[in-house]
Amino acid sequence: MSRMTRPESQARTRADLARTARDLFIADGMANTSLARVAEAAGYSKGAVYSNFRSKNELCQEVLELIHTEALAEITAVAELRGSAEDRIAALTQWARKRIDDVGFTQLEFELTLTSRTDPRLRDQIAANLAAVRSAIADLLADVTGSGSSDFLAGTAQAVFSMGLGLSIQRTIDPTISTGPVARLLPALLAAAEATELKTVQSSERLPTNIEKRSKRRGSTSRSDESRTALLDAAIEVFGSKRFDEVSTTEIAQRAGTAIGLINYHFGGKRGLYLAAADAVYSDFWDQLQALRGPAVPRLIRGLDLYIDQAEAREGSPLALSTQVTDEELRAMHHRHIDRFVTAMMQELTGGAGTALARTAMAGWMAFVEGAVADWLRTRDISRVQLRELLVASLYTTGQSVLTLDPGTPLSSRAINALLEHAQPMTKTEHSE
């Protein structure tokens, strides 16, 4: 089993502390649980708590996100069940009853809500997470009824959620209060939703023959894709200008216009979103390179311009297409993309995989490009045109060195033409002198 990286170890520590805090908050109340007790129960030092969470409220935010992530996971599990609509309604009803019966969670959420009155960030997160749960319920109801998202279903989800929350609060005082109203009201609300959908379909002359045909037209998948894309775009923007520890999931969710719980749903948390954003930047850069057309030399120049543009736009950012970052996983990602680029360049220059010497030389040239661009960003002692000409010239020099050391290195017709084009201007200049 491979050893965990430092970021992976930090993520595991945060998760352990959040789970322990959640259990202690539920058992004894948040106000009665100190950070020192959380550290002791989780098996960590008090310093480990403060190195991960600057305050108790920040730990509360992590606990809150954990609670709602688990709730979203439970709703997703119900949505993925196979069976009839009645079976899935029964599963949703069972989930609702379970959440209502668990008064410990209700008491904790109520305590967190009271705390949020003096903490705007905590209040925003509670609102975003509750909205995410309501949205997930609405999507599930749309799936069960075979209808698309609608205001009626959103209202139904709000009614189910609010009724469950109200019953749960009452049961913290009087456990004898029955959860029966949920079991009776939910099917009735769904029946009303389906009747509303049928009327809508009939009025537009799109009457389906059964629920299964209607369910094929629902748009939950596209909505899920849209929320994932929005979060990814927001993460690229935010992480492109800030360090990992300076960014909050609340900031990303607000910028994306989505519920904060969807970060865990799509990416497994902040760390997963961070790595997905980095991978998306690399993939986008690769796609731009792949889209270049024309002779080899002009494509090389445009490719270098693309890289310099990226380096300028994200100077100092962990998403700057550079190995000059402390994050081990980002460096490993960078190396994977470098290997892919070297393979593509070998195909371009040699028509195949290339020799070990040629591949090493190409990887070395790319390291030179990265170092030269980083120095140029720092000093600006030469013009951008001079920088680009230096990078192009160094590639030709690298290629000539490979051919000198191994004259049998195969070359593609494109590489031969490029070398000839490069040699001609030099010959003319020499003659003119």
Side-chain angles (χ1 to χ4, degrees):
M1 184 176 180
S2 60
R3 184 179 178 183
M4 284 194 300
T5 63
R6 187 168 181 272
E8 288 174 334
S9 178
Q10 289 177 323
R12 188 178 73 170
T13 299
R14 285 179 67 91
D16 288 345
L17 291 170
R19 283 192 293 268
T20 301
R22 175 200 59 191
D23 295 342
L24 291 175
F25 288 171
I26 290 174
D28 303 321
M30 188 182 73
N32 297 324
T33 303
S34 66
L35 293 180
R37 189 175 173 210
V38 172
E40 181 182 4
Y44 292 96
S45 66
K46 189 174 179 181
V49 178
Y50 281 108
S51 67
N52 282 277
F53 305 103
R54 289 172 293 184
S55 65
K56 190 173 182 180
N57 275 15
E58 191 169 299
L59 175 58
C60 289
Q61 284 183 272
E62 194 79 9
V63 170
L64 184 65
E65 186 162 337
L66 174 63
I67 291 171
H68 286 94
T69 297
E70 291 174 343
L72 285 172
E74 291 169 356
I75 298 172
T76 300
V78 174
E80 292 175 349
L81 285 176
R82 296 185 180 275
S84 65
E86 289 75 14
D87 292 336
R88 299 170 79 190
I89 292 172
L92 178 59
T93 303
Q94 183 179 4
W95 170 82
R97 278 181 156 174
K98 176 185 173 184
R99 299 295 294 187
I100 294 169
D101 284 337
D102 198 338
V103 295
F105 273 109
T106 303
Q107 290 173 330
L108 175 56
E109 288 192 286
F110 190 68
E111 193 171 2
L112 286 168
T113 301
L114 291 177
T115 302
S116 73
R117 290 185 301 176
T118 57
D119 188 335
R121 290 185 62 186
L122 186 60
R123 184 171 62 249
D124 289 344
Q125 183 170 347
I126 291 174
N129 285 351
L130 293 178
V133 173
R134 290 195 300 269
S135 178
I137 294 174
D139 285 344
L140 176 57
L141 298 183
D143 188 23
V144 170
T145 61
S147 59
S149 300
S150 66
D151 291 341
F152 187 89
L153 284 176
T156 301
Q158 176 70 65
V160 171
F161 187 81
S162 299
M163 179 178 63
L165 182 61
L167 277 173
S168 187
I169 291 174
Q170 292 181 63
R171 283 175 59 80
T172 62
I173 301 170
D174 182 2
T176 65
I177 294 177
S178 172
T179 59
V182 172
R184 292 190 295 271
L185 185 58
L186 183 56
L189 288 171
L190 290 178
E194 188 168 355
T196 301
E197 170 68 9
L198 281 171
K199 290 179 181 178
T200 302
V201 171
Q202 288 172 338
S203 65
S204 59
E205 297 182 352
R206 291 186 292 108
L207 179 63
T209 57
N210 51 42
I211 288 179
E212 285 72 21
K213 287 185 178 180
R214 291 199 303 279
S215 66
K216 292 179 181 179
R217 293 199 294 270
R218 66 186 176 87
S220 59
T221 300
S222 60
R223 284 184 62 190
S224 177
D225 291 342
E226 288 172 2
S227 64
R228 188 183 190 282
T229 299
L231 285 168
L232 201 53
D233 290 344
I236 290 172
E237 185 177 350
V238 175
F239 287 127
S241 59
K242 296 182 180 180
R243 298 194 311 270
F244 177 80
D245 57 358
E246 292 177 329
V247 177
S248 70
T249 50
T250 301
E251 178 184 3
I252 295 174
Q254 289 176 343
R255 189 180 291 263
T258 67
I260 194 172
L262 293 178
I263 293 176
N264 284 281
Y265 176 76
H266 288 299
F267 303 99
K270 177 181 170 182
R271 178 71 184 170
L273 177 55
Y274 177 64
L275 294 175
D279 190 59
V281 169
Y282 278 107
S283 297
D284 180 64
F285 180 65
W286 174 256
D287 290 343
Q288 291 181 63
L289 292 179
Q290 291 289 89
L292 296 176
R293 295 291 183 267
V297 176
R299 280 191 291 120
L300 170 64
I301 292 173
R302 292 202 298 275
L304 288 171
D305 276 332
L306 286 174
Y307 178 76
I308 297 170
D309 287 343
Q310 290 269 10
E312 281 191 292
R314 296 195 172 91
E315 184 177 359
S317 160
L319 306 188
L321 300 178
S322 171
T323 56
Q324 298 177 3
V325 292
T326 58
D327 193 302
E328 296 173 16
E329 287 178 288
L330 283 190
R331 287 204 305 274
M333 185 182 297
H334 180 85
H335 291 149
R336 288 195 300 272
H337 284 275
I338 287 292
D339 289 342
R340 180 168 66 172
F341 186 81
V342 168
T343 298
M345 287 293 284
M346 287 299 98
Q347 185 65 41
E348 177 84 12
L349 298 175
T350 71
T355 64
L357 178 63
R359 293 183 67 89
T360 299
M362 182 55 59
W365 175 74
M366 294 177 69
F368 171 75
V369 170
E370 185 177 317
V373 171
D375 185 73
W376 177 74
L377 289 172
R378 182 177 62 85
T379 65
R380 305 280 181 164
D381 286 341
I382 61 176
S383 69
R384 178 177 172 130
V385 172
Q386 287 176 310
L387 171 67
R388 190 180 64 193
E389 289 178 347
L390 172 65
L391 300 178
V392 173
S394 67
L395 178 59
Y396 282 106
T397 302
T398 300
Q400 290 166 356
S401 298
V402 171
L403 291 174
T404 300
L405 294 170
D406 183 7
T409 301
L411 290 177
S412 67
S413 59
R414 291 189 295 272
I416 293 172
N417 290 334
L419 286 171
L420 290 174
E421 290 174 11
H422 181 67
Q424 287 172 359
M426 292 297 293
T427 302
K428 291 177 183 177
T429 301
E430 291 169 354
H431 286 314
S432 65
E433 292 175 351

